[in-house]
Amino acid sequence: YQEFLAKAGERIVVKESEWAEAQELAARVKEHPVVSAYLADPGCDVYAEISLYWRHENGLMLKCRPDVLVVPRDETSSLMCFDLKTVKDADMKVLRRHGEYPEVNWPLCSAWYVTGIAAVFGRSCSWVVIAAERDTGGEVLLYAYSLANCQTPVHQIGDNTMRALLRQLAEHFESGVWPRQSEEVRAMEPTKWMMDEYLNNMEEPDERDIRPF
């Protein structure tokens, strides 16, 4: 097995079942009429996971790495950026809420990619999520967070968030001071799970309030 890993080098090793699942999902994505039309367009160049760098107006060097970037050879045409997401449920109501979670924040992602691509190529761009359900034969649905030459509400929210974060980032770089959640020593508290385990496993329950926190 070690010899096999050595031959693999930097390549990611996956199980045969995982490879089959990935191929099945990829086939479903490519069968979507919108995706297939872009990928098959002879007037476009298609780039997968290409790294793009640009310098922001505040002086910071920034980077994005689109999953799939479609660049029309006609320089008057806008670009298309696809971001592939494997999901349990591709329904709009489910994804709309999921995409707004702070740790996910697809509106912010949309603004980031569109801004970077526009800076590098000097052209407008749409940012579209490809939501592909994990289960074999599942749905593949597309959701536009940014449309070229059209300021959608969700993009405006993401753009405002991005600008505010970049201002803060530039200020911290300039000052050399980076904020912490707290400057004090805080007492660690047990999680609800740990406290429940503690209470449930007591051999002789005490009538007194044993919660010290």
Side-chain angles (χ1 to χ4, degrees), residues 155-169:
H155 173 79
Q156 291 177 6
I157 293 172
D159 188 65
N160 289 338
T161 302
M162 180 192 68
R163 291 178 183 277
L165 290 174
L166 285 174
R167 282 195 299 270
Q168 294 176 18
L169 186 61

Side-chain angles (χ1 to χ4, degrees), residues 111-186:
W112 184 266
Y113 281 98
V114 168
T115 299
I117 292 169
V120 173
F121 289 90
R123 293 150 67 180
S124 60
C125 180
S126 297
W127 191 77
V128 174
V129 168
I130 302 175
E133 294 181 346
R134 298 186 186 93
D135 292 342
T136 301
E139 286 267 32
V140 174
L141 302 175
L142 271 55
Y143 298 103
Y145 277 73
S146 293
L147 293 172
N149 304 315
C150 178
Q151 291 292 321
T152 63
V154 69
H155 173 79
Q156 291 177 6
I157 293 172
D159 188 65
N160 289 338
T161 302
M162 180 192 68
R163 291 178 183 277
L165 290 174
L166 285 174
R167 282 195 299 270
Q168 294 176 18
L169 186 61
E171 291 171 0
H172 295 318
F173 264 109
E174 185 176 353
S175 66
V177 178
W178 298 86
R180 300 181 180 88
Q181 291 184 3
S182 174
E183 299 290 344
E184 302 175 353
V185 177
R186 296 179 290 177

Side-chain angles (χ1 to χ4, degrees), residues 173-206:
F173 264 109
E174 185 176 353
S175 66
V177 178
W178 298 86
R180 300 181 180 88
Q181 291 184 3
S182 174
E183 299 290 344
E184 302 175 353
V185 177
R186 296 179 290 177
M188 180 56 70
E189 298 183 1
T191 63
K192 182 180 183 302
W193 173 85
M194 185 178 186
M195 182 57 82
D196 289 342
E197 285 289 302
Y198 172 67
L199 294 174
N200 293 334
N201 293 328
M202 288 185 63
E203 294 182 359
E204 297 181 0
D206 195 330

Side-chain angles (χ1 to χ4, degrees), residues 15-29:
K15 298 178 181 177
E16 186 175 351
S17 59
E18 294 173 334
W19 176 254
E21 290 173 3
Q23 293 298 303
E24 189 275 335
L25 188 145
R28 278 190 283 127
V29 170

Side-chain angles (χ1 to χ4, degrees), residues 62-83:
L62 306 177
K63 172 187 175 181
C64 69
R65 190 176 174 84
D67 285 349
V68 177
L69 184 61
V70 182
V71 183
R73 297 193 184 108
D74 178 2
E75 296 186 359
T76 63
S77 299
S78 59
L79 282 64
M80 171 62 75
C81 180
F82 288 117
D83 203 302

